[in-house]
Structure formats: C-alpha cells, structure tokens
Amino acid sequence: MSALFGRWLWLVTWMSAGAAIGGWLGGTFVHHPELGAWIGAALGIALGSARDVLRAYRVLRWLRDPSTGSAPRGGELWGELAYYIERALHARERTLAQEKRQLTQFLSAIEASPNGVLLLDADEQITWMNSASADHFGLDPQRDLGQRITNLVRSPSFVGYLQAGHYEDAVTVINHGRDLTLSVLLRFYGEGLKLVISSDVTERLRAEGMRRDFVANVSHEIRTPLTVLSGFVETLANLPLAEPERRHVLGLMTQQTQRMQLLVGDLLTLAQLEGSPRPAVDRWIGLAELLERVEVETRGLSVGRHSLVVRFDVAQVRDLELAGNHSELMSAFTNLCSNAVRYTPEGGRIELSWKRREGGDGVFEVRDSGIGISREHIPRLTERFYRVDGSRSRESGGTGLGLSIVKHVMQRHGGQIEVESEPGAGSCFRLVLPAARIRDPHAQATSGQTA
C-alpha cells in the first residue's frame, strides 16, 4: 500500500508541476493558460511514464539474469517490487541448498548401509543404486544406469519374483558368480516405481547350516555309544554270563562311556573357547615347560609304538615366553600330537619341533609318516565332526572336534594353523604364533642395561 500511495503521490506531483509550467508557458507565449496547463500535465505524465518504463526495464533485465548482481533499487513501486522478488529468490535458493544437503546426507546414509538399495522406474530400468546393491548383483553403478534389470540379473528366482507382482515376502537369490546368497525384497513407491532391497545372508545361512549339522552330528555321536551301552545293560540284566564274558562286556561298556566323556569334554571346551574373552597379551607362560609337557604327553600316547624325534633344545627355548592361556595352548599342541599318534601306524615316525621365522613368528610343528590326507579334504579339516575317514576315526577314538578346538585356540591367540599332507606320505601340521606373543625377558633386560 505504501508503494501504491507513493506512486499515486508521485504522479500527482508530476502532473501538478507539468500543469503549472504548462500554464505559465501558455499564458506567456500563446496567451492560452488552460491549453498550456493541459499540455504541461500531459507532458508530465509522459515524462513520468518514461521514467517508469526505464525502471521497469531495469527490473526486467535483472529478472532475466539475477546472477548479474543485486536487484535495482529506488523508484517506489518498481524498487520495492524488485526487493521482494530478490528476497523470495534468496529464500528459494536457501531452501534448495538445504534440501540438496539433506538429499546428499540421505544418499550418503544409504550408501553406507550394508544392505543393497536399487531403484527401478515403471519400465523396470535402473535409476539409482548404492555400492552394496552393485556388489550384490555384480553391477556397475554408472554404466548400468538406465538398463533393464532383467537384462543384467538373470536369476530365475529373481525374475519370477519381479514378474509375479506379489512382494509381501522376500525371495532368496543365489549369485553363483560371487558365491553369495541374497535375501531380496521389493516394494512399490511412487507411480509404478519399485524399490529393491537386498541383504547378504550367506554367512547367516552357512552358520545355520553348520548349527543344524552340529546338532545332528552330536546327536549321532552320542546315540551310537548309548545304543551300545543300552544293549550291553540289557544283556547283563537278562543273560547269565560267565566271568570272562562279563568282563569283556564291561570293558566294551567302559570304552563307550569314555568315548562319550571325551565327546562331552570336547564340546564343553569348544563352548568355553567361544564364550570366553580372548587371552590377555600380558600374561606370560614359559615355553620350555609347555614343550616338555607336550613331549611327555606324546610319549605317553605313543607308548613306544613310534619313533619320536624332538627337534627343540630345551636350553634354547628356556628363556622364551608365550603370551596366552596355558591350558588352551597345551590343548592345541597335544591335539596335534594325539592326531599324529592316532593316524601313524606302529613303527612310524613322528617329529616335534619349534622354530622362529624371519619376522619373529613362532612355529610349533608336528610331522608324521602316517596315512596322509588328500588335498580336497584339507580346507575342511577344522570343521566340527568332519572326518576324512569316519570309521577309522571312531576306531582310533577320535571325536572329530580336536582340530576345531585347535583352530579356535589359534584364532584367540592371533595365530593360525597350516597343513601340508599327501596320501601315503604323511602330514605336517604347524601352529604359527605371532611375534607379539613371544618374548625373551632376559634378552630384553640385557639390552635395557646396555642402553
């Protein structure tokens, strides 16, 4: 209102000034004051309008390209109009900038998500995807934009799911090229647009499968000796046995009982390893004492049936210490020795050794001249209840959990297990402990005194 009032006042002023000047000129030169007044008023209006047109042109030129500078100022109505337009433009720019930042943050959050997110238009063409989705389906985030999804992802389960149009439940899609199992869920959004959410469930399904196998294997391992025991108990209860027969039956029952005790003991050991915190790195145990006990245990298991060669000098390892849990390391070392004794025929050779590698890692090695293992079995040796030869393992008294225990112990101590073996040529198992868990306190004290 103030701008309109100002403009009206401005026009009245120009008209009055023009009429006054025109009346004076008309009375002086043409002796017609009224005509001069009208001509002067018209001239004032024309000059005022020309001034308005000029200011309107400046505002229009600025509107065509606001980036040239600030809006023109002055001129009552046009100046105020330009000011409000400029303020509205700045407000819109701020809003757009804020929305752009929010969109960038939103896309960054989706990009950081471990789940894959892929957008499809009404023609099932890819409009956007995050890195996880590209990795899940083996796509290129830039090159494959605009491509039809079914031309790139040819899994029958995914194509059928997409074409069915019923997306209440997720579908399982296997990417054989990347050895991935995906859970894929579709949702509608917008006008015919689709959102594809994928998650990698490979490890979860593998863990579930291992858990099912584990339960089945435990049930089988325990059922067998229980069946034997049940049969022997029934025999003792119902049949009159001679003393030699009774002793034989009781001996077999004792063997099956011991087998179950070993199995339960190994299961409890695994549960303890998986549920307890990792061994401290500042809890040191003597290596020489550990190796001596391992040698004694191995000789006790072999009972002179094998040629046992020990390739570590107690004097050389007397000052060395290991950081970790004594009982766990003892269990890992003796499990390897027990396997060597179990699978090496009588008269065979077993070697125990300890050495340091160039980087400082310590290696406990058990080498035997036993039956050996085929290459295809080696990657699965540390799986629970995995046996290369199940019947031979049971006859030798193994539970199928020993190497699984060894693997867990090594992982908890930051180490690893290495296996070399060939059928008929024996096996070599190495436990590698990192240099950070090995020290010589006497050497450190000497170097400290020298410094």
Side-chain angles (χ1 to χ4, degrees), residues 120-126 144-153 162-163:
L120 301 177
D121 62 15
D123 296 323
E124 297 178 353
Q125 295 176 340
I126 301 173
D144 293 333
L145 291 180
Q147 299 292 320
R148 191 177 181 86
I149 185 66
T150 51
N151 293 337
L152 303 174
V153 182
L162 182 65
Q163 294 175 349

Side-chain angles (χ1 to χ4, degrees), residues 167-184:
Y167 307 139
E168 291 80 9
D169 300 321
V171 65
T172 299
V173 177
I174 300 177
N175 186 338
H176 295 284
R178 300 184 59 81
D179 193 23
L180 294 177
T181 302
L182 306 174
S183 176
V184 179

Side-chain angles (χ1 to χ4, degrees), residues 325-339:
N325 185 286
H326 183 278
S327 61
E328 291 184 17
L329 292 173
M330 185 68 187
S331 174
F333 285 21
T334 54
N335 258 303
L336 293 189
C337 298
S338 174
N339 284 345

Side-chain angles (χ1 to χ4, degrees), residues 45-343:
I45 294 173
L47 290 174
S49 299
R51 181 171 174 267
D52 261 2
V53 169
L54 178 62
R55 289 177 173 174
Y57 172 74
R58 290 175 180 171
V59 173
L60 182 62
R61 184 175 61 181
W62 172 77
L63 286 174
R64 289 172 180 167
D65 187 10
S67 63
T68 56
S70 300
R73 293 291 186 265
E76 296 85 20
L77 178 64
W78 293 111
E80 190 168 350
L81 180 62
Y83 166 73
Y84 283 119
I85 293 175
E86 184 179 35
R87 191 170 70 173
L89 288 175
H90 287 166
R92 189 187 68 172
E93 290 175 356
R94 289 192 298 270
T95 302
L96 290 176
Q98 183 179 2
E99 291 177 351
K100 185 177 180 180
R101 286 194 300 271
Q102 292 176 346
L103 177 60
T104 302
Q105 293 174 353
F106 177 71
L107 293 178
S108 298
I110 296 180
E111 185 67 27
S113 171
N115 293 327
V117 179
L118 185 145
L119 306 182
L120 301 177
D121 62 15
D123 296 323
E124 297 178 353
Q125 295 176 340
I126 301 173
T127 58
W128 187 85
M129 73 181 87
N130 66 352
S131 299
S133 180
D135 179 66
H136 289 167
F137 294 108
L139 305 175
D140 188 294
Q142 301 299 327
R143 182 194 62 203
D144 293 333
L145 291 180
Q147 299 292 320
R148 191 177 181 86
I149 185 66
T150 51
N151 293 337
L152 303 174
V153 182
R154 300 179 180 273
S155 171
S157 57
F158 176 77
V159 175
Y161 179 64
L162 182 65
Q163 294 175 349
H166 305 292
Y167 307 139
E168 291 80 9
D169 300 321
V171 65
T172 299
V173 177
I174 300 177
N175 186 338
H176 295 284
R178 300 184 59 81
D179 193 23
L180 294 177
T181 302
L182 306 174
S183 176
V184 179
L185 185 65
L186 268 72
R187 287 290 184 266
F188 285 110
Y189 79 100
E191 188 66 28
L193 307 179
K194 297 183 182 71
L195 172 69
V196 182
I197 303 174
S198 59
S199 56
D200 184 359
V201 295
T202 307
E203 291 302 323
R204 178 169 63 83
L205 294 179
R206 184 176 296 151
E208 290 177 355
M210 291 177 62
R211 186 161 51 249
R212 287 194 299 269
D213 293 342
F214 178 68
V215 173
N217 284 325
V218 170
S219 302
H220 175 75
E221 293 291 336
I222 292 181
R223 183 185 298 116
T224 301
L226 281 177
T227 302
V228 175
L229 286 172
S230 177
F232 286 149
V233 169
E234 185 177 353
T235 299
L236 289 174
N238 298 324
L239 295 178
L241 299 177
E243 184 61 24
E245 294 175 331
R246 191 178 69 85
R247 284 199 300 267
H248 177 68
V249 169
L250 290 175
L252 293 177
M253 293 175 67
T254 301
Q255 290 179 3
Q256 296 302 322
T257 303
Q258 291 174 347
R259 179 180 169 188
M260 282 196 297
Q261 288 175 339
L262 289 174
L263 177 61
V264 172
D266 284 348
L267 289 173
L268 291 175
T269 299
L270 272 177
Q272 182 180 8
L273 290 174
E274 293 177 344
S276 59
R278 296 185 61 171
V281 295
D282 58 351
R283 193 174 184 181
W284 299 93
I285 59 176
L287 176 61
E289 184 268 338
L290 180 66
L291 293 178
E292 284 180 329
R293 286 192 57 187
V294 171
E295 180 183 353
V296 171
E297 291 257 353
T298 306
R299 293 190 184 279
L301 291 170
S302 175
V303 198
R305 294 180 293 114
H306 307 90
S307 173
L308 182 61
V309 179
V310 178
R311 296 191 177 276
F312 47 80
D313 187 352
V314 175
Q316 295 178 352
V317 299
R318 179 172 290 121
D319 296 333
L320 293 182
E321 294 180 339
L322 300 180
N325 185 286
H326 183 278
S327 61
E328 291 184 17
L329 292 173
M330 185 68 187
S331 174
F333 285 21
T334 54
N335 258 303
L336 293 189
C337 298
S338 174
N339 284 345
V341 171
R342 186 178 297 122
Y343 297 112

Side-chain angles (χ1 to χ4, degrees), residues 381-432:
L381 287 178
T382 57
E383 293 181 13
R384 299 174 181 180
F385 295 110
Y386 184 80
R387 290 186 174 93
V388 177
D389 185 347
S391 60
R392 185 176 179 88
S393 296
R394 291 187 179 92
E395 290 173 2
S396 60
T399 63
L401 296 173
L403 288 179
S404 183
I405 292 174
V406 173
K407 182 190 73 172
H408 277 76
V409 171
M410 285 297 98
Q411 289 177 342
R412 287 165 54 79
H413 287 78
Q416 58 185 349
I417 179 173
E418 298 176 353
V419 184
E420 294 178 5
S421 186
E422 291 184 13
S427 304
C428 178
F429 287 80
R430 300 186 189 92
L431 302 183
V432 183

